[in-house]
PDB file of all heavy atoms in Angstrom:
ATOM      1  N   GLY B  83     -12.488  68.931  25.099  1.00 93.00           N
ATOM      2  CA  GLY B  83     -12.780  68.365  23.783  1.00 93.00           C
ATOM      3  C   GLY B  83     -14.237  67.965  23.676  1.00 93.00           C
ATOM      4  O   GLY B  83     -14.696  67.468  22.660  1.00 93.00           O
ATOM      5  N   TYR B  84     -14.978  68.173  24.759  1.00 95.00           N
ATOM      6  CA  TYR B  84     -16.431  67.944  24.747  1.00 95.00           C
ATOM      7  C   TYR B  84     -17.049  68.849  25.798  1.00 95.00           C
ATOM      8  O   TYR B  84     -16.393  69.247  26.758  1.00 95.00           O
ATOM      9  CB  TYR B  84     -16.771  66.470  25.044  1.00 95.00           C
ATOM     10  CG  TYR B  84     -16.220  65.966  26.361  1.00 95.00           C
ATOM     11  CD1 TYR B  84     -16.909  66.179  27.552  1.00 95.00           C
ATOM     12  CD2 TYR B  84     -14.988  65.311  26.428  1.00 95.00           C
ATOM     13  CE1 TYR B  84     -16.404  65.752  28.769  1.00 95.00           C
ATOM     14  CE2 TYR B  84     -14.469  64.872  27.646  1.00 95.00           C
ATOM     15  CZ  TYR B  84     -15.180  65.098  28.804  1.00 95.00           C
ATOM     16  OH  TYR B  84     -14.688  64.676  30.010  1.00 95.00           O
ATOM     17  N   GLN B  85     -18.314  69.186  25.574  1.00 97.00           N
ATOM     18  CA  GLN B  85     -19.061  69.954  26.557  1.00 97.00           C
ATOM     19  C   GLN B  85     -19.953  68.973  27.301  1.00 97.00           C
ATOM     20  O   GLN B  85     -20.612  68.146  26.662  1.00 97.00           O
ATOM     21  CB  GLN B  85     -19.922  70.982  25.809  1.00 97.00           C
ATOM     22  CG  GLN B  85     -20.842  71.810  26.689  1.00 97.00           C
ATOM     23  CD  GLN B  85     -21.860  72.586  25.860  1.00 97.00           C
ATOM     24  OE1 GLN B  85     -22.348  72.095  24.854  1.00 97.00           O
ATOM     25  NE2 GLN B  85     -22.171  73.797  26.268  1.00 97.00           N
ATOM     26  N   ILE B  86     -19.970  69.056  28.642  1.00 98.00           N
ATOM     27  CA  ILE B  86     -20.925  68.217  29.371  1.00 98.00           C
ATOM     28  C   ILE B  86     -22.279  68.915  29.318  1.00 98.00           C
ATOM     29  O   ILE B  86     -22.431  70.064  29.728  1.00 98.00           O
ATOM     30  CB  ILE B  86     -20.496  67.975  30.834  1.00 98.00           C
ATOM     31  CG1 ILE B  86     -19.083  67.381  30.890  1.00 98.00           C
ATOM     32  CG2 ILE B  86     -21.501  67.055  31.527  1.00 98.00           C
ATOM     33  CD1 ILE B  86     -18.560  67.149  32.309  1.00 98.00           C
ATOM     34  N   SER B  87     -23.255  68.210  28.745  1.00 98.00           N
ATOM     35  CA  SER B  87     -24.569  68.778  28.505  1.00 98.00           C
ATOM     36  C   SER B  87     -25.609  67.704  28.812  1.00 98.00           C
ATOM     37  O   SER B  87     -25.250  66.618  29.279  1.00 98.00           O
ATOM     38  CB  SER B  87     -24.646  69.216  27.035  1.00 98.00           C
ATOM     39  OG  SER B  87     -25.885  69.794  26.750  1.00 98.00           O
ATOM     40  N   GLN B  88     -26.871  67.999  28.599  1.00 98.00           N
ATOM     41  CA  GLN B  88     -27.904  66.975  28.754  1.00 98.00           C
ATOM     42  C   GLN B  88     -28.634  66.874  27.424  1.00 98.00           C
ATOM     43  O   GLN B  88     -29.315  67.817  27.021  1.00 98.00           O
ATOM     44  CB  GLN B  88     -28.894  67.362  29.858  1.00 98.00           C
ATOM     45  CG  GLN B  88     -28.269  67.444  31.234  1.00 98.00           C
ATOM     46  CD  GLN B  88     -29.323  67.642  32.306  1.00 98.00           C
ATOM     47  OE1 GLN B  88     -30.044  68.636  32.318  1.00 98.00           O
ATOM     48  NE2 GLN B  88     -29.430  66.679  33.227  1.00 98.00           N
ATOM     49  N   PHE B  89     -28.461  65.772  26.735  1.00 96.00           N
ATOM     50  CA  PHE B  89     -29.015  65.659  25.386  1.00 96.00           C
ATOM     51  C   PHE B  89     -30.311  64.857  25.380  1.00 96.00           C
ATOM     52  O   PHE B  89     -31.387  65.369  25.116  1.00 96.00           O
ATOM     53  CB  PHE B  89     -27.967  65.021  24.477  1.00 96.00           C
ATOM     54  CG  PHE B  89     -28.391  64.891  23.045  1.00 96.00           C
ATOM     55  CD1 PHE B  89     -28.756  66.009  22.310  1.00 96.00           C
ATOM     56  CD2 PHE B  89     -28.407  63.647  22.428  1.00 96.00           C
ATOM     57  CE1 PHE B  89     -29.141  65.882  20.982  1.00 96.00           C
ATOM     58  CE2 PHE B  89     -28.795  63.527  21.104  1.00 96.00           C
ATOM     59  CZ  PHE B  89     -29.167  64.638  20.375  1.00 96.00           C
ATOM     60  N   GLN B  90     -30.189  63.600  25.755  1.00 95.00           N
ATOM     61  CA  GLN B  90     -31.345  62.714  25.628  1.00 95.00           C
ATOM     62  C   GLN B  90     -32.346  62.890  26.769  1.00 95.00           C
ATOM     63  O   GLN B  90     -33.551  62.826  26.552  1.00 95.00           O
ATOM     64  CB  GLN B  90     -30.849  61.268  25.587  1.00 95.00           C
ATOM     65  CG  GLN B  90     -31.871  60.329  24.977  1.00 95.00           C
ATOM     66  CD  GLN B  90     -31.320  58.905  24.876  1.00 95.00           C
ATOM     67  OE1 GLN B  90     -30.160  58.654  25.187  1.00 95.00           O
ATOM     68  NE2 GLN B  90     -32.154  57.988  24.442  1.00 95.00           N
ATOM     69  N   TYR B  91     -31.853  63.100  27.980  1.00 96.00           N
ATOM     70  CA  TYR B  91     -32.732  63.211  29.142  1.00 96.00           C
ATOM     71  C   TYR B  91     -32.482  64.533  29.874  1.00 96.00           C
ATOM     72  O   TYR B  91     -31.701  64.580  30.822  1.00 96.00           O
ATOM     73  CB  TYR B  91     -32.500  62.045  30.102  1.00 96.00           C
ATOM     74  CG  TYR B  91     -32.778  60.688  29.491  1.00 96.00           C
ATOM     75  CD1 TYR B  91     -31.741  59.856  29.085  1.00 96.00           C
ATOM     76  CD2 TYR B  91     -34.095  60.247  29.330  1.00 96.00           C
ATOM     77  CE1 TYR B  91     -32.004  58.612  28.524  1.00 96.00           C
ATOM     78  CE2 TYR B  91     -34.369  59.001  28.768  1.00 96.00           C
ATOM     79  CZ  TYR B  91     -33.316  58.184  28.364  1.00 96.00           C
ATOM     80  OH  TYR B  91     -33.581  56.959  27.813  1.00 96.00           O
ATOM     81  N   PRO B  92     -33.136  65.631  29.441  1.00 98.00           N
ATOM     82  CA  PRO B  92     -32.937  66.922  30.105  1.00 98.00           C
ATOM     83  C   PRO B  92     -33.637  66.962  31.468  1.00 98.00           C
ATOM     84  O   PRO B  92     -34.570  66.181  31.699  1.00 98.00           O
ATOM     85  CB  PRO B  92     -33.594  67.910  29.134  1.00 98.00           C
ATOM     86  CG  PRO B  92     -34.634  67.111  28.416  1.00 98.00           C
ATOM     87  CD  PRO B  92     -34.088  65.705  28.325  1.00 98.00           C
ATOM     88  N   ILE B  93     -33.202  67.857  32.331  1.00 98.00           N
ATOM     89  CA  ILE B  93     -33.791  67.933  33.682  1.00 98.00           C
ATOM     90  C   ILE B  93     -35.208  68.517  33.666  1.00 98.00           C
ATOM     91  O   ILE B  93     -36.016  68.231  34.535  1.00 98.00           O
ATOM     92  CB  ILE B  93     -32.865  68.729  34.645  1.00 98.00           C
ATOM     93  CG1 ILE B  93     -33.358  68.627  36.086  1.00 98.00           C
ATOM     94  CG2 ILE B  93     -32.736  70.189  34.224  1.00 98.00           C
ATOM     95  CD1 ILE B  93     -32.361  69.051  37.121  1.00 98.00           C
ATOM     96  N   VAL B  94     -35.501  69.344  32.643  1.00 98.00           N
ATOM     97  CA  VAL B  94     -36.832  69.960  32.554  1.00 98.00           C
ATOM     98  C   VAL B  94     -37.434  69.681  31.176  1.00 98.00           C
ATOM     99  O   VAL B  94     -36.757  69.836  30.157  1.00 98.00           O
ATOM    100  CB  VAL B  94     -36.759  71.482  32.796  1.00 98.00           C
ATOM    101  CG1 VAL B  94     -38.133  72.124  32.620  1.00 98.00           C
ATOM    102  CG2 VAL B  94     -36.219  71.790  34.192  1.00 98.00           C
ATOM    103  N   GLY B  95     -38.697  69.283  31.170  1.00 98.00           N
ATOM    104  CA  GLY B  95     -39.402  69.005  29.921  1.00 98.00           C
ATOM    105  C   GLY B  95     -40.302  70.152  29.492  1.00 98.00           C
ATOM    106  O   GLY B  95     -39.989  71.319  29.719  1.00 98.00           O
ATOM    107  N   GLU B  96     -41.447  69.819  28.920  1.00 98.00           N
ATOM    108  CA  GLU B  96     -42.295  70.845  28.301  1.00 98.00           C
ATOM    109  C   GLU B  96     -42.975  71.765  29.308  1.00 98.00           C
ATOM    110  O   GLU B  96     -43.370  71.341  30.397  1.00 98.00           O
ATOM    111  CB  GLU B  96     -43.374  70.161  27.449  1.00 98.00           C
ATOM    112  CG  GLU B  96     -42.799  69.490  26.226  1.00 98.00           C
ATOM    113  CD  GLU B  96     -43.890  68.910  25.339  1.00 98.00           C
ATOM    114  OE1 GLU B  96     -44.893  68.406  25.874  1.00 98.00           O
ATOM    115  OE2 GLU B  96     -43.724  68.964  24.108  1.00 98.00           O
ATOM    116  N   GLY B  97     -43.109  73.032  28.905  1.00 97.00           N
ATOM    117  CA  GLY B  97     -43.812  74.020  29.712  1.00 97.00           C
ATOM    118  C   GLY B  97     -44.354  75.102  28.811  1.00 97.00           C
ATOM    119  O   GLY B  97     -44.325  74.959  27.580  1.00 97.00           O
TER     120      GLY B  97
END
Side-chain angles (χ1 to χ4, degrees):
Chain B
Y84 57 84
Q85 176 192 37
I86 305 178
S87 181
Q88 296 188 298
F89 182 58
Q90 200 177 356
Y91 299 103
I93 189 165
V94 177
E96 291 184 323

